[in-house]
C-alpha cells in the first residue's frame, strides 16, 4: 500500500513510518521542514512538503494514496493557550481527507485521546466522549466525524491514545514530570496519588496504527492502551528513587503552581481498557510497561552540557 502519513516525523509518527516500511508499505510522509524531510528520507519514506494547513496538499496526496494515517496535531499552540485553534485545524484536515477518500473504501486512521471518556470507571472502546462545545470536545467531535465517514465509503478508524506514550526519547508527560522533580527537588503527585493513567509504549502504539490501516473495519474505535491504569503515586516513587529526591503529596490547590500546565492532567483518574481492540485486531502489547520503562533509566539521563 501507498500510505500517506501526517505527523510522520513526530513522536508517534517516527515509529509508525519504519513499522510500515518494514512491513513492505510505501510511505509518503508530510514534512514541514528540511530537518523533518531528511529524517523521513533516512527512514525510507517519500516526502511531500507542507503542513496540516496546506489543504490542497493534503487532498491531492490522500487522493493519490491507498490509505491515510493522520497523526499531525498543532501541539505547539494547543498547550500554549490555543487548543481551540489546533482542534479546528485538525477538523479541517480530517474533512479534506474525507472528501479525498469518499467512496473508495480506502482506510483513514486518525489519532485521538482517551482522557475524559468515562470519569470514575474503566472506559472501553464503546464509550463516546461528551461533545459540549469546549475546546477539548472539538477534537472529540472530529473523531466522531472521522467515524461517520464509514457511511460515505471510507474505511475509517480512530486510535485513542493513552495520555502517556512512553519510550526512549520521550519529551512528553513523563519527561516533564522528571524535569519538574529535578527542578523542585521533590517528586510530587496530586493528593494521595491513587489516580490512574493508562499507558502504552510508543512502539506498541506504532504497531496498532499499522494494523489499523491494514485491517480495521470501517467505523472502528481502537484503544492505544497496554496498561489500564498506572497509579501516579507509583510513577512518582520511581522518579524520586532515581533522582534521589523525596516523594511528596501536593495538595490539589497547590498543583497549578507546582506542576504548571501539567496540573490539569496529573490529578485525573482515567483508567481505560484496550481489551476489545486486542480482540478485534489480534494484537498484544509486547514492549515494557510504564514503570519498567522508567526503571530502565533513560528518562533520568542528565541533559547534555558543553564546555571548553
Amino acid at each position: 500500500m501507498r500510505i500517506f502519513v501526517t505527523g510522520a516525523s513526530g513522536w508517534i509518527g517516527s515509529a509508525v513510518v519504519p513499522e510500515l516500511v518494514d512491513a513492505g508499505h510505501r510511505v509518503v510522509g508530510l514534512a514541514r521542514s528540511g530537518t523533518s524531510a531528511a529524517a523521513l528520507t533516512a527512514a525510507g519514506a517519500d516526502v511531500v512538503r507542507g503542513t496540516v494547513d496546506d489543504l490542497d496538499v493534503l487532498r491531492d496526496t490522500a487522493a493519490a494514496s491507498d490509505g491515510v494515517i493522520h497523526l499531525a496535531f498543532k501541539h505547539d499552540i494547543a498547550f500554549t493557550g490555543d487548543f481551540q485553534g489546533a482542534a479546528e485545524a485538525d477538523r479541517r484536515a480530517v474533512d479534506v481527507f474525507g472528501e479525498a477518500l469518499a467512496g473508495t473504501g480506502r482506510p483513514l486512521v486518525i489519532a485521538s485521546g482517551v482522557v475524559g471518556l468515562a470519569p470514575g470507571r474503566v472506559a472501553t472502546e464503546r464509550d463516546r466522549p461528551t461533545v459540549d462545545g469546549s475546546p477539548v470536545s472539538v477534537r472529540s467531535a472530529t473523531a466522531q466525524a472521522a467515524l461517520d465517514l464509514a457511511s460515505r465509503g471510507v474505511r475509517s478508524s480512530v486510535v485513542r491514545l493513552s495520555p502517556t506514550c512512553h519510550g526512549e526519547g520521550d519529551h512528553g508527560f513523563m519527561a516533564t514530570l522528571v524535569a519538574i522533580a529535578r527542578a523542585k527537588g521533590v517528586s510530587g503527585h496530586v493528593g494521595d496519588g491513587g489516580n490512574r493513567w493508562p499507558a502504552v509504549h510508543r512502539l506498541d502504539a506504532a504497531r496498532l496504527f499499522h494494523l489499523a490501516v491494514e485491517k480495521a473495519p470501517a467505523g472502528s474505535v481502537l484503544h492505544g492502551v497496554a496498561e489500564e491504569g498506572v497509579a501516579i503515586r507509583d510513577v512518582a516513587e520511581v522518579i524520586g528513587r532515581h533522582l534521589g529526591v523525596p516523594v511528596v503529596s501536593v495538595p490539589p490547590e497547590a498543583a497549578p503552581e507546582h506542576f504548571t500546565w501539567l496540573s490539569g492532567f496529573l490529578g485525573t483518574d482515567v483508567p481505560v481498557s484496550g481489551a476489545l481492540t486486542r480482540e478485534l485486531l489480534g494484537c498484544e502489547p509486547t514492549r515494557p510497561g510504564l514503570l519498567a520503562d522508567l526503571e530502565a533509566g533513560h528518562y533520568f539521563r542528565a541533559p547534555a552540557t558543553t564546555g571548553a
Side-chain angles (χ1 to χ4, degrees):
M1 295 171 66
R2 182 180 193 267
I3 303 172
F4 178 34
V5 181
T6 72
S9 61
W11 174 237
I12 302 297
S14 59
V16 170
V17 169
E19 170 79 24
L20 294 172
V21 170
D22 288 348
H25 297 296
R26 179 184 174 191
V27 177
V28 180
L30 183 69
R32 62 180 180 176
S33 71
T35 300
S36 294
L40 289 172
T41 299
D46 297 332
V47 175
V48 60
R49 292 295 294 269
T51 74
V52 290
D53 293 321
D54 295 319
L55 301 183
D56 287 341
V57 172
L58 300 187
R59 182 183 295 106
D60 293 346
T61 311
S65 299
D66 299 311
V68 176
I69 297 178
H70 175 48
L71 302 172
F73 191 74
K74 293 184 172 183
H75 291 99
D76 53 341
I77 68 171
F79 294 114
T80 56
D82 192 16
F83 195 98
Q84 179 87 22
E88 289 174 352
D90 188 47
R91 177 57 182 268
R92 289 191 292 270
V94 170
D95 286 346
V96 162
F97 291 139
E99 293 171 13
L101 299 176
T104 66
R106 297 174 188 167
L108 168 64
V109 185
I110 78 163
S112 188
V114 298
V115 174
L117 281 178
R121 64 174 175 81
V122 177
T124 77
E125 292 87 340
R126 295 190 178 99
D127 287 303
R128 295 293 181 268
T130 299
V131 178
D132 57 11
S134 66
V136 172
S137 76
V138 172
R139 196 175 189 194
S140 299
T142 297
Q144 186 56 54
L147 295 174
D148 291 344
L149 290 170
S151 66
R152 296 176 54 198
V154 180
R155 184 164 61 80
S156 58
S157 60
V158 172
V159 175
R160 296 172 178 164
L161 290 168
S162 298
T164 178
C165 294
H166 55 89
E168 187 161 5
D170 177 16
H171 296 290
F173 288 154
M174 289 300 110
T176 300
L177 270 180
V178 171
I180 291 171
R182 182 177 276 123
K184 299 280 187 180
V186 296
S187 178
H189 53 75
V190 179
D192 68 5
N195 60 295
R196 300 152 293 173
W197 274 16
V200 66
H201 195 283
R202 166 178 174 257
L203 299 180
D204 282 327
R207 172 69 173 162
L208 179 56
F209 280 101
H210 167 198
L211 294 176
V213 79
E214 284 187 345
K215 63 181 184 178
S220 297
V221 174
L222 308 169
H223 278 181
V225 172
E227 298 173 282
E228 286 190 0
V230 180
I232 298 300
R233 178 178 56 243
D234 294 340
V235 170
E237 288 174 352
V238 175
I239 293 173
R241 185 168 64 256
H242 277 263
L243 293 181
V245 300
V247 178
V248 302
S249 170
V250 177
E253 61 272 17
E257 180 180 356
H258 187 93
F259 297 108
T260 63
W261 64 269
L262 189 55
S263 64
F265 301 95
L266 195 62
T268 56
D269 186 42
V270 286
V272 177
S273 170
L276 296 177
T277 296
R278 292 193 288 274
E279 180 180 348
L280 178 67
L281 297 182
C283 62
E284 291 289 338
T286 61
R287 304 293 176 167
L290 175 57
L291 297 181
D293 204 16
L294 285 167
E295 293 284 14
H298 53 82
Y299 277 97
F300 306 102
R301 293 173 188 151
T305 59
T306 59

